[in-house]
Amino acid sequence: MNPKGPVGTEDFISLEQIIVTENFLNSRPNPEKIQKVVNYLKRTGNLDEPITVNRDTKILTDGYTRYIVAERVKMNLIPVAYEK
């Protein structure tokens, strides 16, 4: 079965493959933003947008809030878009 991701999804990778850098780990996403993504996920079964990663390194470049939500709900496959 091929999961369907949010608009802009180019691929699905496992959460463990995504590398999160220090500057994201040291930031604190807004709890309201996190809750909005959680609510969307509960309502639709999907993230609102793909997480952006570097195609070669799998380093997260955008979507840390969505990454945190995916981690919390133990999503196996994460919809990603590759950094342009």
Side-chain angles (χ1 to χ4, degrees), residues 27-54:
S27 70
R28 296 209 189 289
N30 180 330
E32 284 171 22
K33 272 174 77 176
I34 291 175
Q35 194 54 53
K36 246 169 84 172
V37 176
V38 167
N39 293 345
Y40 186 90
L41 181 64
K42 282 181 180 166
R43 207 169 57 242
T44 66
N46 221 322
L47 293 176
D48 56 344
E49 284 179 53
I51 290 171
T52 307
V53 297
N54 178 291

Side-chain angles (χ1 to χ4, degrees), residues 1 16-17 30 39 50-51 54 56 68 76:
M1 187 182 99
E16 296 80 51
Q17 284 181 278
N30 180 330
N39 293 345
I51 290 171
N54 178 291
D56 302 320
I68 289 171
N76 295 330

Side-chain angles (χ1 to χ4, degrees), residues 72-83:
R72 274 193 195 164
V73 301
K74 297 178 175 33
M75 274 178 99
N76 295 330
L77 288 177
I78 311 303
V80 296
Y82 293 112
E83 188 179 37

